[in-house]
Amino acid sequence: MSSYIESIEKLLAKLVKFPGIGRRSAERIVGYLIGSSYEEAKAIAQSILQLKEKVRFCSICNNLSEEELCSVCRDPKRNRHILCIVERPGDVASIEKTAAFHGVYHVLMGSIAPLEGRGPSDLKIDSLINRIRQEKIQEVIIATDSDTEGETTALYLSKIIKPTGVRLSRIGLGLPVGYNLEYADSATLSKALEARRDI
Amino acid sequence: MSSYIESIEKLLAKLVKFPGIGRRSAERIVGYLIGSSYEEAKAIAQSILQLKEKVRFCSICNNLSEEELCSVCRDPKRNRHILCIVERPGDVASIEKTAAFHGVYHVLMGSIAPLEGRGPSDLKIDSLINRIRQEKIQEVIIATDSDTEGETTALYLSKIIKPTGVRLSRIGLGLPVGYNLEYADSATLSKALEARRDI
């Protein structure tokens, strides 16, 4: 049911495809664009095109980059012997925000999800194994999500990485920082108990 | 704190200005755009530009239009003697969806909000009064929001429209359709009681 004029409906149809954007949110965004200057709208349109023109994936780790290698892989200060495996490029950004990791990454570009028909061959696993074998990696940290797909992926990776003999670990699961115990679900809580440390 | 490459941060900075879009939502939208084809991204960028190039405000009622007059004002079947006053062009779309109103509209382009420094002179009120005087309007329905600003605007409008002698009404306030009485707030409930009808 089309209630708006054509140019509005056309943009609405594009916007509702964005993740997390429903019809109402799309209408509010269109309202914002109508109220903004032509220059601002043009700048937004150009930013979208530039994103598509400039962003590519790092040829070593698959992280997002505007160059052949991403900023992490280019950085001479990073420890190339420690490799952190994540599902998506956005996960690299999240870990970089912590400033707590000084190694390099490998982005799988997804996770194993048999129910959705995604298997190991859909992920960047061949290049991962090649890196572990050829780049003198000493330690591998599996930082996939803690959901079913992430855990399945972690399990699969641990099986194929173990034979290489590197030190292998999974990021710690437990109570989030600043969290109230009474709101924690029991799966998280039991993981947190398992992961207890002597003090 | 910039964690992404330049072309991503540039687009993120634009997207977080959209109403209802925070940093996390913006990141998800960028992820969607990175995953979509160049053609799709180009189509989105073009839709934004076309919106700005084509959309203007109806010279009679201020509704959104791609022509001098909006589709309502152009429609010969509409009753030009009944005028419905709304705050925003989006409100016209909402009422049109009901298909319950066959008159014409007047969009105020805002509401009176003294705390935010918006007074009657910021609204399209002069042209409203001219229309009521010159276009043989018989009935005016004030359909501004039922929040403080909308009610203030309705009160102001009723004072300046009454002297023109037209029949004047405010849209009914009460319990929304399909709503559970126990979840209704008391302000709505008392309005619903006030608005009771004999059956």
Side-chain angles (χ1 to χ4, degrees), chain A residues 162-179:
Chain A
K162 268 210 176 124
T164 65
V166 297
R167 184 179 160 198
L168 184 65
S169 64
R170 176 91 176 99
I171 47 159
L173 304 179
L175 202 68
V177 175
Y179 210 71

Side-chain angles (χ1 to χ4, degrees), chain A residues 1 3-8 10-11 14-15 17-21 23 25 27-30 32-38 40-57 64-66 71 89-91 93-94 96-97, chain B residues 1 3-8 10-11 14-15 17-21 23 25 27-30 32-38 40-57 64-66 71 89-91 93-94 96-97:
Chain A
M1 190 182 55
S3 300
Y4 288 101
I5 49 181
E6 199 196 335
S7 49
I8 294 181
K10 221 167 139 186
L11 181 56
K14 302 283 180 206
L15 295 178
K17 287 192 209 161
F18 285 179
I21 303 293
R23 174 87 185 177
S25 310
E27 286 175 353
R28 289 181 66 202
I29 292 172
V30 168
Y32 165 83
L33 289 169
I34 288 171
S36 63
S37 69
Y38 184 77
E40 176 65 11
K42 202 174 162 186
I44 294 167
Q46 281 173 341
S47 295
I48 291 173
L49 292 179
Q50 276 183 9
L51 178 83
K52 296 301 291 182
E53 282 155 9
K54 290 193 178 172
V55 173
R56 48 180 169 162
F57 300 102
L64 297 174
S65 179
E66 290 185 357
S71 57
D91 301 335
S94 300
E96 284 299 288
K97 272 183 196 165
Chain B
M1 190 183 54
S3 300
Y4 288 101
I5 49 181
E6 199 196 337
S7 49
I8 294 182
K10 220 168 139 185
L11 181 56
K14 302 284 180 204
L15 294 178
K17 287 193 208 158
F18 286 180
I21 303 292
R23 173 88 185 178
S25 310
E27 286 175 351
R28 289 182 66 202
I29 292 172
V30 167
Y32 166 83
L33 289 170
I34 288 171
S36 63
S37 69
Y38 184 78
E40 177 64 13
K42 200 174 162 187
I44 294 167
Q46 280 173 343
S47 294
I48 291 172
L49 292 178
Q50 277 184 10
L51 178 84
K52 295 303 291 182
E53 280 154 10
K54 290 191 176 173
V55 173
R56 47 182 173 161
F57 299 103
L64 296 174
S65 178
E66 291 186 356
S71 58
D91 301 336
S94 299
E96 285 298 288
K97 270 183 198 164

